[in-house]
Amino acid sequence: MQKSDSIMGSNDTKVKRKGSSKMAELIALHRVAESALPESQRICYDPYAVHFVDPEVLECARKNPEKTKAMREHYERLFPGLGNSIRARVRYFDDFVRAAAGEGMEQLVILGAGYDTRPYRMEKLKGNSNVKVFEVDHPETQSLKKEKIEMIFGGLPDHIVYVPVDFEMEGIDQKLPGNGYDRSKKTLFLMEGLVMYIPPMAVDEMLSFIVNNSAKGSEVLFDYFIQSVVDGTSGTEKNMRDFAAQQGEPFLFGIEDGAAEVFLKERGFSRVQNVTSDDYKNAYFCGANKDRAVCNLLSFVHAVVE
């Protein structure tokens, strides 16, 4: 399949990451903060996220609330609305997974699972459900995740298959089939906070696997930054790009603004729905939350395998 330069990023450089994902911990911290809000205000809830944040960070926040507030305001100036967009993403993906589980989903493949806790906190995904879950992630992040899960629950759940994959070096076609994945079953492929960190060629290969190795009616859901964030030439886009690079997880992939539908249709998907910042702002930030800003650089998109 030929890549379109207007859509795909030009950087196919493979970056060998060492250690567990710092970004995964930062995202967990957002879930901790949102979960601490009053029930009438929070838009997502994750009781397990706190286990994936450095205890020293949590203790510092408890002892120095003013310093924590100042840091939060500093990052809001650097990345306006991004924190709220990340929290809206958690909620949207939660809602989507629940709906899919109620509509005949038989397998859930979480690519770049990080510290995602959906298989442990969502009733429709727990061990007594009919949904088999595959968590696919970098070996070092996954190893730490498994340690935490064993600490929380006293062991690893039987309904989850952990598949270690370095997306910059390996394809899921090399690992999923040999770990019990059944291409004849209706599957949801979830990629939350993943595609922006892997090379365009790896994104293409991942989507090709989904189209060619999943049952009719299977779906994919992921979020993405528009290409200007990956290019990071000025303003907020540059701040975001530089911060990601400083964490050792540089942005490698983006989609041109307004091109998501074409991008997925060119790769064999149908019924593409792009969810913009306006869409999730209107869906989740109303009433007491109406003044919470979101980031117009982050969108979600889902599509179907026919």
Side-chain angles (χ1 to χ4, degrees), residues 110-117 134-137 141-142 145 167:
I110 308 176
L111 299 170
Y115 301 140
D116 187 325
T117 64
F134 297 85
E135 289 200 12
V136 185
D137 205 3
T141 300
Q142 189 171 88
K145 166 86 169 279
F167 296 111

Side-chain angles (χ1 to χ4, degrees), residues 47-301:
Y48 302 123
V50 66
H51 296 284
F52 298 97
V53 176
D54 186 337
E56 292 185 7
V57 172
L58 298 173
E59 182 65 11
C60 180
R62 187 185 69 81
K63 289 183 175 180
N64 301 284
E66 291 302 317
K67 181 179 179 181
T68 300
K69 180 183 177 183
M71 287 182 63
R72 184 170 62 247
E73 291 172 348
H74 169 69
Y75 284 117
E76 182 62 23
R77 288 191 294 271
L78 285 178
F79 325 121
L82 181 59
N84 287 326
S85 287
I86 289 170
R87 299 175 195 198
R89 180 179 70 188
V90 175
R91 171 64 179 272
Y92 188 90
F93 280 44
D94 279 1
D95 291 346
F96 198 96
V97 170
R98 287 192 185 95
E103 295 169 2
M105 175 178 68
E106 298 172 281
Q107 295 179 139
L108 173 63
V109 177
I110 308 176
L111 299 170
Y115 301 140
D116 187 325
T117 64
R118 292 183 181 95
Y120 315 94
R121 62 181 169 84
M122 295 177 66
E123 289 299 327
K124 290 181 179 293
L125 297 182
K126 289 184 179 179
N128 59 351
S129 78
N130 295 318
V131 180
K132 188 170 186 177
V133 179
F134 297 85
E135 289 200 12
V136 185
D137 205 3
H138 190 279
E140 295 191 44
T141 300
Q142 189 171 88
S143 177
L144 181 58
K145 166 86 169 279
K146 289 165 69 176
E147 288 180 14
K148 298 288 188 179
I149 293 300
E150 288 183 314
M151 179 189 73
I152 297 168
F153 298 104
L156 298 176
D158 294 335
H159 70 296
I160 299 174
V161 179
Y162 299 91
V163 185
V165 174
D166 184 339
F167 296 111
E168 288 140 4
M169 304 293 167
E170 305 170 285
I172 57 176
D173 59 312
Q174 299 171 263
K175 293 292 190 74
L176 264 181
N179 278 279
Y181 170 76
D182 188 340
R183 66 194 303 270
S184 70
K185 292 185 175 181
K186 187 177 179 182
T187 305
L188 170 60
F189 291 84
L190 205 65
M191 298 185 281
E192 182 182 9
L194 172 65
V195 301
M196 56 280 290
Y197 300 111
I198 59 179
M201 185 176 296
V203 175
D204 258 352
E205 291 171 352
M206 198 175 295
L207 294 175
S208 178
F209 174 88
I210 294 171
V211 165
N212 294 302
N213 295 278
S214 57
K216 181 178 179 180
S218 292
E219 297 176 281
V220 62
L221 168 63
F222 64 92
D223 60 301
Y224 66 92
F225 286 124
I226 60 175
Q227 184 61 40
S228 62
V229 177
V230 181
D231 298 336
T233 53
S234 63
T236 300
E237 291 97 330
K238 185 176 188 301
N239 291 340
M240 292 167 61
R241 185 199 65 177
D242 291 351
F243 180 79
Q246 289 165 9
Q247 305 310 306
E249 298 176 54
F251 294 144
L252 300 175
F253 170 85
I255 300 177
E256 293 291 352
D257 193 15
E261 184 173 1
V262 171
F263 172 76
L264 282 168
K265 284 185 174 179
E266 286 181 346
R267 284 152 182 80
F269 292 91
S270 65
R271 289 187 270 167
V272 180
Q273 184 173 345
N274 193 58
V275 181
T276 68
S277 57
D278 285 340
D279 293 328
Y280 58 75
K281 165 75 172 176
N282 292 334
Y284 301 127
F285 297 102
C286 50
N289 290 318
K290 63 182 177 62
D291 294 329
R292 289 172 65 174
V294 296
C295 177
N296 64 2
L297 304 173
L298 181 67
S299 296
F300 321 143
V301 64

Side-chain angles (χ1 to χ4, degrees), residues 30-31 34-35 42-46 87-88 90-91 94:
H30 277 290
R31 301 201 304 272
E34 190 69 23
S35 298
R42 66 189 182 218
I43 62 167
C44 63
Y45 181 65
D46 182 352
R87 299 175 195 198
V90 175
R91 171 64 179 272
D94 279 1

